[in-house]
Amino acid sequence: MQPEESRHLKQSIDLARRARERGNHPFGAVLVDRNGRVLLEGENTVVTERDCTGHAESNLMREATQHYSPEQLAGSTLYASTEPCAMCAGAIFWGGVRRVVFALSSEQLGQFTRPDEPSLRMSCRDVFSRGSEPTEVMGPVELPEARAVHEGFWT
């Protein structure tokens, strides 16, 4: 991974921290164009907006498709603090972003959440593998910050 990619991934974790500080679940995402320019940031708003679809990646993709062309999105990378869930992977696919990099995997997230916490324990790779167009996925990328943002939240 290139140093600038690590920086974007850490930015997504900072957004997850900010979401947590605002009373939401600790997830963040950053959309970066092919030239390394940050286009958008997204954070989880499930609690504060009372919206079960208010995941960081879905919020980001909703805005991205309103502001950027399909060509721009196809050349962009979405960096996520945690592996996108099935819903978010669908939003990423339908929005046309064809590269995803994430820090904490959904399996690793399961080490923090309560057993009674609703979850879809599957890899975003499973969703993307069913798509008619390929989506490149890189992750999990081991960053201590990705774990730290979840510590103590789910208990």
Side-chain angles (χ1 to χ4, degrees):
M1 181 180 331
Q2 300 296 321
E4 64 272 6
E5 289 194 298
S6 180
R7 184 172 44 88
H8 296 311
L9 205 49
K10 288 178 180 180
Q11 182 178 358
S12 74
I13 297 166
D14 287 341
L15 290 164
R17 188 174 299 106
R18 186 168 76 191
R20 180 177 177 166
E21 290 168 356
R22 292 179 180 182
N24 290 296
H25 301 152
F27 300 100
V30 178
L31 186 66
V32 178
D33 73 10
R34 69 182 61 208
N35 298 316
R37 182 175 61 105
V38 173
L39 299 177
L40 290 172
E41 297 179 336
E43 61 184 72
N44 185 288
T45 58
V46 166
V47 176
T48 56
E49 297 293 323
R50 297 180 52 96
D51 177 2
C52 65
T53 68
H55 293 193
E57 301 91 338
S58 291
N59 288 340
L60 184 144
M61 290 307 302
R62 195 174 299 114
E63 188 174 349
T65 57
Q66 292 174 356
H67 293 96
Y68 297 100
S69 71
E71 295 77 27
Q72 288 173 300
L73 294 174
S76 297
T77 299
L78 188 144
Y79 294 88
S81 61
T82 305
E83 183 172 9
C85 72
M87 175 185 70
C88 291
I92 293 164
F93 177 81
W94 291 117
V97 172
R98 295 295 177 246
R99 184 164 186 267
V100 174
V101 180
F102 65 87
L104 196 70
S105 72
S106 58
E107 184 177 316
Q108 292 167 319
L109 176 63
Q111 298 168 3
F112 292 97
T113 58
R114 295 183 314 269
D116 64 336
E117 184 76 30
S119 65
L120 292 171
R121 299 211 192 272
M122 65 186 298
S123 173
C124 67
R125 286 178 172 89
D126 295 335
V127 176
F128 292 133
S129 72
R130 304 278 182 138
S132 58
E133 297 178 20
T135 301
E136 178 187 348
V137 179
M138 178 190 288
V141 176
E142 289 299 321
L143 292 173
E145 303 95 313
R147 289 181 170 280
V149 75
H150 289 278
E151 289 176 355
F153 180 81
W154 302 99
T155 55

